[in-house]
Amino acid sequence: MAPSKDLNKFRDLLRESKNIIAVAGAGLSAASGIPTFRGAGGMWRKYDAVSLATPEGFAESPSLVWQFYHYRREAALRAEPNNAHRALSAFSLPLIRNQIAPSSTFALITQNVDGLSVRSDNKILASYPDASEQQQDEQGRPRLIEMHGRLFDVLCTNEDCGHIEFNTKSPICEALSGTEALVEKNTLDPDIDVKDLPRCSKCGSLARPGVVWFGEKPHHMDLIDELVDKADLCIVVGTSSTVFPAAGYAYAVQSQGGKVAVFNLERSQGDRDADYLFLGPCEETLLKALSLEVSTDGELSVKNSL
């Protein structure tokens, strides 16, 4: 049976759900100007993931990899959270969510590394100072889980050091200044000397982007497994559902009797068995589905307070 497109029935499902998770991919940040990876014009259609997003690729050419990630860092620094980020941030606060899904829990599991969900959460919390402690649930678990790490984490490659630091410097080093224009033209510079690439601030060794690459284990897997095991509703946002383990979470929720709602710009292989499917810009569809509205000054509230 084809997935339902009935918003009212989905809202009824929200009111009945008790343990809700959202699994987000690159499509969540598309309206913020962050390139997606597998859709039309996606980055992995232009670049070889093995050469740019694996430990082996970095070992072979750290210069090329750093240029690609410098491009992504600069794009993320320029970007602002969009209404899809804001909708999920607002829904994460019990004082808002309880008007939509009473007595429920919620966690956002994001595959994105751009930090926009974090920035969105911080802005929502600034609007609700009394909710400053609500970034964690009653068991002290975070409501936002960055399973693939953070683009602005810089990790030392020296295993004896292993230092990680959060670095938003632009450019991260002088040698990479301006190379983002080369990425746009698909003409990376193979000749940047390794000694001029980002270095560990603690030991001086070569540093790498602190994201999870293909073949590496995502972060917080035990916590994610716990949340998936308890979930009775999985909201899938902006992902083609091709990268595991995240691609399997919706199926896991369904297999234990839960429901799945997919919010994507276009059809994907992961939505064939969804219970609900809402196509279109997720910055629009999520607001409608969660009964949220944005005021002229950018504040989010529950529409026609439920």
Side-chain angles (χ1 to χ4, degrees):
M1 187 171 65
S4 172
K5 300 177 183 179
D6 192 319
L7 278 172
N8 289 325
K9 287 185 178 180
F10 173 72
R11 292 176 185 134
D12 290 341
L13 174 63
L14 273 177
R15 281 191 286 272
E16 298 167 0
S17 300
K18 296 305 177 185
N19 296 295
I20 306 167
I21 61 171
V23 180
L28 175 63
S29 296
S32 298
I34 303 295
T36 57
F37 288 87
R38 288 178 177 78
M43 295 297 285
W44 293 143
R45 294 176 184 267
K46 296 180 181 179
Y47 294 101
D48 175 19
V50 174
S51 65
L52 295 173
T54 64
E56 295 79 12
F58 184 76
E60 181 176 341
S61 183
S63 171
L64 296 183
V65 173
W66 259 119
Q67 286 172 71
F68 182 66
Y69 281 91
H70 170 69
Y71 166 82
R72 296 182 64 187
R73 284 169 58 94
E74 294 298 306
L77 285 171
R78 292 192 303 269
E80 292 293 336
N82 63 61
N83 281 339
H85 294 109
R86 297 186 188 101
L88 292 171
S89 293
F91 191 73
S92 74
L93 295 182
L95 63 88
I96 293 178
R97 187 176 65 257
N98 284 337
Q99 300 177 61
I100 306 166
S103 303
S104 62
T105 67
F106 175 74
L108 169 58
I109 303 165
T110 183
Q111 301 170 80
N112 296 338
V113 296
D114 52 41
L116 291 178
S117 289
V118 177
R119 289 163 58 188
S120 176
D121 280 3
N122 290 339
K123 288 184 177 181
I124 290 292
L125 286 170
S127 300
Y128 295 91
D130 293 340
S132 60
E133 296 180 358
Q134 296 186 354
Q135 288 176 297
Q136 297 181 335
D137 66 13
E138 293 77 5
Q139 285 73 47
R141 298 172 299 198
R143 301 190 189 281
L144 171 60
I145 302 166
E146 297 172 285
M147 66 179 298
H148 288 165
R150 304 190 298 181
L151 191 58
F152 297 104
D153 278 346
V154 180
L155 171 63
C156 181
T157 59
N158 181 349
E159 293 183 0
D160 293 331
C161 175
H163 178 64
I164 303 176
E165 67 176 29
F166 188 73
N167 181 326
T168 58
K169 183 180 177 183
S170 173
I172 188 173
C173 68
E174 199 56 40
L176 292 173
S177 179
T179 59
E180 59 270 26
L182 300 178
V183 178
E184 290 280 7
K185 298 175 182 177
N186 198 14
T187 55
L188 301 181
D189 181 359
D191 298 323
I192 297 177
D193 198 309
V194 171
K195 67 179 177 57
D196 295 324
L197 294 175
R199 317 299 293 187
C200 173
S201 63
K202 186 174 181 180
C203 75
S205 298
L206 177 66
R208 57 161 277 187
V211 300
V212 176
W213 281 331
F214 294 103
E216 296 181 326
K217 183 179 179 181
H219 300 319
H220 314 297
M221 289 304 299
D222 289 344
L223 172 58
I224 292 172
D225 288 344
E226 178 185 344
L227 292 168
V228 172
D229 286 345
K230 294 181 178 179
D232 55 4
L233 173 60
C234 178
I235 299 173
V236 178
V237 183
T239 174
S240 58
S241 297
T242 56
V243 177
F244 285 84
Y249 295 152
Y251 174 79
V253 171
Q254 268 190 330
S255 68
Q256 60 204 26
K259 301 294 184 181
V260 171
V262 174
F263 294 78
N264 260 337
L265 186 60
E266 57 191 9
R267 293 299 302 257
S268 69
Q269 68 178 51
D271 62 37
R272 289 172 298 185
D273 300 318
D275 299 286
Y276 293 86
L277 174 62
F278 302 105
L279 296 179
C282 58
E283 65 275 13
E284 298 175 7
T285 55
L286 264 180
L287 284 176
K288 292 178 182 177
L290 298 178
S291 301
L292 295 169
E293 59 184 356
V294 183
S295 66
T296 54
D297 58 1
E299 296 293 325
L300 264 74
S301 60
V302 179
K303 189 174 183 179
N304 298 324
S305 189
L306 301 176

